[in-house]
Amino acid sequence: MKYFTPKSYRIKHKILEFLSKERMKDGGKNPVSEYTFSLKEICDSIKEDFDDVYSISDYLYYKKLVHCTRNDKELMNPYCFATDQGVEAYSSFSFINDGKLLQTTLFNNLSTGFFQIIVAIIAVVTIIFNYNDSKLYHEQVKILEREVERLSIKLSEQSKEKSTESDSDDTKADYQTYVQTDDADSTKVSHWKKK
């Protein structure tokens, strides 16, 4: 309970606890003088710093949870007692519950902000890595395109050489066929001449 409630809420509750218990002794039939205490007496009883108790007593007085009367001997040390609303606030643990609610709300807000920051960092890192990866892939694609272009040119040159070779083979074949045909014709001619 101590760590989930802000200190000011705990001190408010302690002040009301002390004053309410003193007021409710003997079934709440005590005279006011028996449940009225100075701030210094309250500080000693609840073991809190005087400055903290003094500033919080102003809030409790403003909210009409305690009633304070003037101390003529020490102006900065008024006498206080718990009002009916103060006893009710102590009994319902309203300051403890409000403090816990405040603390959990703050924790939720901080954790939500923290997780949003983590998600943003992850998103930025992912974008950077994806950008670097896409840059790398783009470079690899360019290298592959150059390689394909080079191979295409090489293939084109080889096909030209093959077609030139093929044309030359066709020309040789045609020439040989022509020569052979000419030889046959010349044989016929010489064959005719001999007759």
Side-chain angles (χ1 to χ4, degrees), residues 6-158:
K7 183 178 180 180
S8 64
Y9 286 83
R10 287 192 317 266
I11 293 174
K12 289 173 192 173
H13 182 76
K14 282 180 169 182
I15 292 170
L16 290 177
E17 178 182 22
F18 172 72
L19 293 175
S20 296
K21 285 182 177 178
E22 290 298 322
R23 181 176 175 179
M24 290 297 124
K25 283 183 180 174
D26 295 330
K29 296 182 181 178
N30 300 350
V32 175
S33 60
E34 289 187 22
Y35 58 83
T36 302
F37 297 92
S38 70
L39 284 182
K40 287 186 180 178
E41 292 173 321
I42 295 171
C43 291
D44 293 339
S45 297
I46 65 173
K47 297 177 178 54
E48 292 291 341
D49 185 46
F50 178 79
D51 292 333
D52 292 336
V53 172
Y54 184 79
S55 64
I56 290 171
S57 69
D58 284 343
Y59 173 82
L60 295 174
Y61 178 77
Y62 174 75
K63 290 292 188 178
K64 298 185 175 158
L65 300 174
V66 297
H67 182 74
C68 296
T69 57
R70 183 174 153 157
N71 182 348
D72 291 331
K73 296 177 186 172
E74 291 181 70
L75 291 178
M76 298 297 290
N77 188 22
Y79 292 111
C80 300
F81 65 88
T83 63
D84 292 339
Q85 292 111 341
V87 173
E88 184 181 324
Y90 159 70
S91 300
S92 65
F93 284 77
S94 64
F95 287 112
I96 296 297
N97 294 332
D98 290 346
K100 285 180 183 177
L101 180 64
L102 175 69
Q103 200 73 347
T104 55
T105 303
L106 288 173
F107 177 76
N108 287 340
N109 291 343
L110 288 175
S111 62
T112 301
F114 178 72
F115 287 123
Q116 287 175 345
I117 290 170
I118 288 175
V119 167
I121 289 170
I122 289 170
V124 168
V125 168
T126 303
I127 289 170
I128 289 170
F129 282 139
N130 284 342
Y131 176 74
N132 288 338
D133 287 348
S134 92
K135 202 176 185 184
L136 178 69
Y137 294 145
H138 185 69
E139 289 173 5
Q140 289 177 348
V141 166
K142 278 188 174 186
I143 290 169
L144 289 173
E145 283 176 347
R146 281 190 239 127
E147 186 67 24
V148 165
E149 190 177 321
R150 186 182 65 75
L151 290 173
S152 172
I153 292 170
K154 191 173 181 180
L155 219 80
S156 167
E157 287 174 358
Q158 286 179 352

